[in-house]
Amino acid sequence: MEAGPTWEPEAWGSSGGWPAPRGARAGPSLSSVLNELPSAATLRYRGPGVLPWGASGEEEEDGESNVQAMAEAAQKELGEPIPSRELPWPMQARRTHRQSHARDKVAQGSGSRVAQWALWLRRSKEKTQERLHTLQPWAWTLKRIGGQFGAGTESYFSLLRFLLLLNVLASVLKACMTLLPTWLEGTPPGPPGPDTSSPCGFYNPDPQGLVTFPTHLFSLLSGVGFLEWSPLFYGFYPPRQHLAVTYLCSVFVIGLLHLVLILHRSVSGLKQTLLAESGVLTSYSHRVFSAWDFGLRGDVHVRLRHRIILYELQVELEEAVVRRQAAVRTLSQQAKVWSVRVLLNLLVIALLGAAFYGVYWATGATVKLQETPLVQQMPLVKLGVDYLPSIFISGVNFLLPPVFKLIAPLEGYTRSRQIVFILLRTVFLRLASLLVLLFSLWNQITCGGNAEAEECKTCGYKYKELPCWETRLGQEMYKLLIFDLLTGLAVMLLIQFPRKLLCGLCPGPLGRTVGTQEFQVPDEVLGLIYAQTVVWVGSFFCPLLPMLNTVKFLLLFYFKKDPTL
């Protein structure tokens, strides 16, 4: 037998078996050997979130400069014609790359001026797209989040960035098409004074006398007082012809622009979604051969990815068992399963009905409670009464989704079908709550649709309780946004952050009992969609709501991207 290779002490240092310091070792280092592997050659194609072997924490701190240097080196290498078979790309990308270089060779060899111009225009377009891609905000941050926490968390922050872009565009258009025309045509008039010919239209929301600081603070939170007659709400803008046209045009332009951008984002990943749902790709082979994320760094995240793949395979096997059991059920067993499903769906309908009735009652009771002497004398109680509809909506959105998660396994569906039902019920709860709020407000304003009622007979609406009903609608949407922001910040700072500290400081049984709250991507995405829906619903009556939502999304991004929260 041939003798195996022996390790000599000189290769590790001057002393026996203990490794010498890195600078004193002979021969190549481990990082240099690993950088010679074929996988290291693909770093420039795997984005800036992946660092080469041997990169230390100090190098990661100035990662952006390293990424810029790597990007420049990659651009120099990509300028040279690389054979398509050597590129670590999918087959379709290789085919496109090969066809592109073939067209370049034909254009360079033909000597035609038109072909040369076409080649120059195409290369300019590619360079422009590359530069625009580098100008995307938080590109490096998203890559780092994807490398540390996986693609699911990265998709949440990508959606947050996209919604932030929508709000920034809406804010700019509102400022140019609503605020500027209002001030360019002259100073807006103050609140309308009393008119002897008609009681309708008299409106004076400005507080009288000395106003204390707590009153200003409560007015800021509820949108009344000095904010009620401000550019924040619909009633501030004077009834001028040109302003009315620009106001309506801004709504239609923003809606059309948002629709186009959403369709473009949705269609970009439609092909992969249809391919994944068509069943052409076997789920087992896809997870075994293609599920690993090579951008992950750190043992913790690698083990987490291991558990995710293991969990997905277990779910696939469980769903296969459930499908086999469903195929061999007898008629009596099927009747039992469907009766349980009917009862559980009736329970879900009852819970939704109770939640909607609570929102309807809270909206109606707000106006009545505000007129009581006790509420008028206590500003803090008055603030709680003003936020009563928002508290009910946020409460049902917080309490009912966990109940839906408990009900779904009892229905006998597969795991994927359970997730679909949970998401559908949660989305319906969130959106229908807003519709119930708008319906209850409209019912209050129009006296239940009875124009002949005593309170609505003079002006067509309750002018005594709601002198400017448009502003009232805008205030409700404003309070929904503020309350959602405050509750989100309170949960992060008062619950998640202490749990993280306790888990880090107490690694024993207490830390394992408390644990850290996992980042639930579906719930967080539904929260973003709900917040953006509130803005879309209320931006007509509260024109500056997109600006406030921009600030809210910025705070959410910088708070949630911190791994300590």
Side-chain angles (χ1 to χ4, degrees):
M1 296 179 60
E2 297 179 358
T6 58
W7 295 97
E8 299 180 359
E10 289 78 5
W12 290 83
S14 56
S15 60
W18 297 98
R22 183 177 296 180
R25 297 177 191 173
S29 62
L30 178 61
S31 60
S32 62
V33 173
L34 293 176
N35 284 328
E36 295 295 329
L37 296 174
S39 59
T42 65
L43 287 175
R44 62 174 181 270
Y45 306 111
R46 288 156 56 189
V50 184
L51 297 179
W53 292 99
S56 61
E58 298 178 356
E59 295 175 355
E60 185 177 355
E61 294 178 357
D62 58 346
E64 296 185 2
S65 59
N66 295 337
V67 169
Q68 186 68 24
M70 290 172 59
E72 294 176 357
Q75 290 296 329
K76 293 180 181 179
E77 294 182 5
L78 290 174
E80 302 175 359
I82 303 175
S84 301
R85 67 179 61 184
E86 296 182 5
L87 295 174
W89 293 352
M91 294 300 296
Q92 184 177 2
R94 293 183 183 181
R95 189 179 300 110
T96 304
H97 179 266
R98 184 169 59 252
Q99 294 174 355
S100 174
H101 277 289
R103 287 195 301 267
D104 293 348
K105 290 181 180 179
V106 172
Q108 292 175 357
S110 62
S112 174
R113 187 179 298 272
V114 177
Q116 294 290 339
W117 274 102
L119 177 60
W120 180 80
L121 289 175
R122 188 170 58 80
R123 289 184 174 178
S124 300
K125 180 181 177 181
E126 293 176 355
K127 291 181 179 179
T128 304
Q129 291 178 350
E130 292 174 358
R131 291 172 181 173
L132 290 177
H133 184 72
T134 58
L135 292 177
Q136 288 183 354
W138 304 313
W140 164 254
T141 304
L142 291 184
K143 287 290 185 181
R144 186 169 56 187
I145 290 173
Q148 291 180 348
F149 305 106
T153 308
E154 182 184 1
S155 64
Y156 165 79
F157 285 95
S158 177
L159 177 62
L160 179 58
R161 182 180 64 179
F162 175 72
L163 294 179
L164 183 62
L165 171 63
L166 295 184
N167 285 276
V168 169
L169 293 177
S171 303
V172 172
L173 291 175
K174 282 288 185 181
C176 295
M177 302 180 69
T178 303
L179 290 178
L180 286 181
T182 302
W183 295 100
L184 290 178
E185 293 186 11
T187 304
D195 190 358
T196 57
S197 60
S198 175
C200 306
F202 174 65
Y203 184 49
N204 187 16
D206 295 332
Q208 303 297 327
L210 181 63
V211 181
T212 60
F213 176 75
T215 304
H216 274 297
L217 180 60
F218 295 152
S219 299
L220 179 65
L221 293 175
S222 57
V224 298
F226 69 96
L227 278 181
E228 193 166 353
W229 191 262
S230 67
L232 185 61
F233 296 112
Y234 179 91
F236 170 81
Y237 298 91
R240 298 169 182 169
Q241 182 178 3
H242 298 291
L243 180 60
V245 173
T246 57
Y247 196 97
L248 291 175
C249 288
S250 66
V251 175
F252 286 113
V253 170
I254 290 173
L256 182 61
L257 182 61
H258 284 188
L259 179 62
V260 171
L261 292 176
I262 291 173
L263 289 177
H264 179 267
R265 179 182 174 87
S266 302
V267 171
S268 60
L270 183 62
K271 183 177 179 181
Q272 289 80 3
T273 303
L274 293 177
L275 182 62
E277 295 179 353
S278 62
V280 176
L281 295 177
T282 305
S283 57
Y284 298 108
S285 62
H286 171 69
R287 285 178 172 82
V288 170
F289 296 105
S290 306
W292 185 252
D293 189 354
F294 289 93
L296 293 175
R297 292 175 293 167
D299 296 337
V300 176
H301 308 300
V302 170
R303 288 196 299 269
L304 177 62
R305 189 59 184 173
H306 281 159
R307 290 197 297 268
I308 290 174
I309 296 176
L310 178 61
Y311 173 76
E312 291 176 350
L313 291 174
Q314 290 176 349
V315 169
E316 287 289 339
L317 295 175
E318 290 177 3
E319 291 189 354
V321 172
V322 172
R323 285 191 290 266
R324 284 198 300 267
Q325 292 177 353
V328 297
R329 282 177 188 158
T330 62
L331 184 60
S332 60
Q333 291 175 344
Q334 290 182 356
K336 181 180 178 181
V337 170
W338 279 104
S339 61
V340 171
R341 291 175 180 175
V342 170
L343 292 176
L344 292 176
N345 280 280
L346 290 177
L347 176 61
V348 170
I349 294 173
L351 292 174
L352 292 175
F356 297 153
Y357 178 77
V359 174
Y360 182 83
W361 173 85
T363 308
T366 301
V367 178
K368 298 178 181 179
L369 292 175
Q370 286 175 345
E371 298 175 355
T372 59
L374 179 61
V375 174
Q376 294 290 338
Q377 295 174 2
M378 302 179 66
L380 187 60
V381 177
K382 187 177 185 299
L383 180 64
V385 171
D386 290 339
Y387 270 88
L388 197 58
S390 302
I391 293 173
F392 262 84
I393 292 177
S394 299
V396 298
N397 290 337
F398 179 76
L399 295 176
L400 288 188
V403 177
F404 296 156
K405 292 180 181 179
L406 294 176
I407 292 176
L410 303 177
E411 295 179 295
Y413 291 112
T414 60
R415 188 70 63 89
S416 59
R417 186 68 62 86
Q418 293 176 18
I419 294 174
V420 170
F421 275 103
I422 293 171
L423 292 178
L424 288 177
R425 289 164 180 167
T426 305
V427 171
F428 179 75
L429 172 66
R430 290 177 178 268
L431 300 184
S433 300
L434 294 178
L435 295 179
V436 172
L437 175 63
L438 294 176
F439 173 76
S440 57
L441 288 173
W442 186 256
N443 195 35
Q444 286 183 10
I445 294 168
T446 61
C447 300
N450 185 11
E452 299 298 328
E454 186 66 26
E455 297 176 336
C456 299
K457 190 174 182 180
T458 304
C459 301
Y461 66 97
K462 289 184 179 180
Y463 68 94
K464 293 183 179 180
E465 296 179 359
L466 303 170
C468 185
W469 62 269
E470 298 93 345
T471 298
R472 173 63 189 280
L473 290 175
Q475 287 173 345
E476 291 298 331
M477 298 298 110
Y478 171 80
K479 286 184 285 189
L480 280 176
L481 187 142
I482 295 296
F483 190 77
D484 189 47
L485 172 62
L486 294 178
T487 52
L489 293 178
V491 168
M492 285 187 290
L493 296 177
L494 302 179
I495 298 178
Q496 296 179 1
F497 182 62
R499 287 178 64 178
K500 180 71 176 180
L501 287 180
L502 186 60
C503 184
L505 297 176
C506 303
L510 180 61
R512 289 194 299 269
T513 303
V514 176
T516 57
Q517 185 174 358
E518 296 182 0
F519 191 82
Q520 300 292 337
V521 177
D523 296 338
E524 298 290 342
V525 170
L526 289 179
L528 292 181
I529 296 174
Y530 167 76
Q532 188 60 41
T533 305
V534 171
V535 174
W536 285 332
V537 172
S539 59
F540 184 83
F541 300 106
C542 186
L544 302 187
L545 205 60
M547 296 183 184
L548 300 177
N549 204 36
T550 301
V551 178
K552 173 186 174 180
F553 282 166
L554 281 173
L555 292 176
L556 285 180
F557 183 87
Y558 283 105
F559 272 102
K560 288 186 177 295
K561 80 179 183 67
D562 190 351
T564 61
L565 294 177

